[in-house]
Structure formats: C-alpha cells, structure tokens
Amino acid sequence: TMLKVFCNEVSVQDCKAALEDTGRDVLMAIKYLKLKQLLSLDLGDINHCKEALVSCDWDVPQAVDYVFSQGPPSPECVDV
C-alpha cells in the first residue's frame, strides 16, 4: 500500500522502518516518510517542514512550493 502511495519513490526497507517507527500505523508511516522526504531537501527544520506539509494536506511537491513562497528560513534553521 505504501509503495503505491509513493510510486516507487521509497524502498521497501524505508516502508518497513517507517512502520516499525510508528507502531505499524500506516497513515502515520506515510506522513513520516513524507516529512523525511521534505527534510532531505534541506528547506528548513522539522517544524518548518511539518508546517508546510500540514498546510498543503501532506502533498510534498505543494509543500516545497509553500516553503519557497514563504521566503528563506529563519536563521535558526540554517546550518552555519
């Protein structure tokens, strides 16, 4: 089921790990993987990325657009 949601963007191992980390809650595992995808793009910290995903109904491409439309992340989100 999760592989269908991600259209082969994540591995079977990623799905299994996400399911284990979320107590076998499929919906939470999907959200967890989407958050990991957005975080991997280095667009901000976990709170900034989660806010973008929630605002975009957990659609990763829309969340990316949302982050860019909000301007640069605050200084505490940038690695120095």
Side-chain angles (χ1 to χ4, degrees):
T1 300
M2 291 176 64
L3 290 174
K4 288 180 183 177
V5 169
F6 287 100
C7 300
N8 299 319
E9 294 173 3
V10 297
S11 69
V12 172
Q13 292 81 9
D14 290 335
C15 292
K16 287 180 181 180
L19 285 168
E20 287 179 24
D21 290 344
T22 60
R24 303 272 181 222
D25 183 326
V26 175
L27 184 56
M28 287 300 296
I30 290 169
K31 289 180 177 182
Y32 175 81
L33 288 174
K34 288 183 177 192
L35 181 58
K36 281 183 69 173
Q37 283 182 321
L38 196 56
L39 286 168
S40 73
L41 300 174
D42 292 326
L43 297 176
D45 68 3
I46 192 167
N47 293 323
H48 191 68
C49 290
K50 187 173 179 181
E51 174 189 331
L53 284 165
V54 169
S55 296
C56 297
D57 199 28
W58 292 89
D59 183 289
V60 175
Q62 284 183 2
V64 170
D65 291 341
Y66 175 87
V67 169
F68 282 122
S69 73
Q70 298 298 306
S74 62
E76 63 268 8
C77 296
V78 178
D79 291 332
V80 179

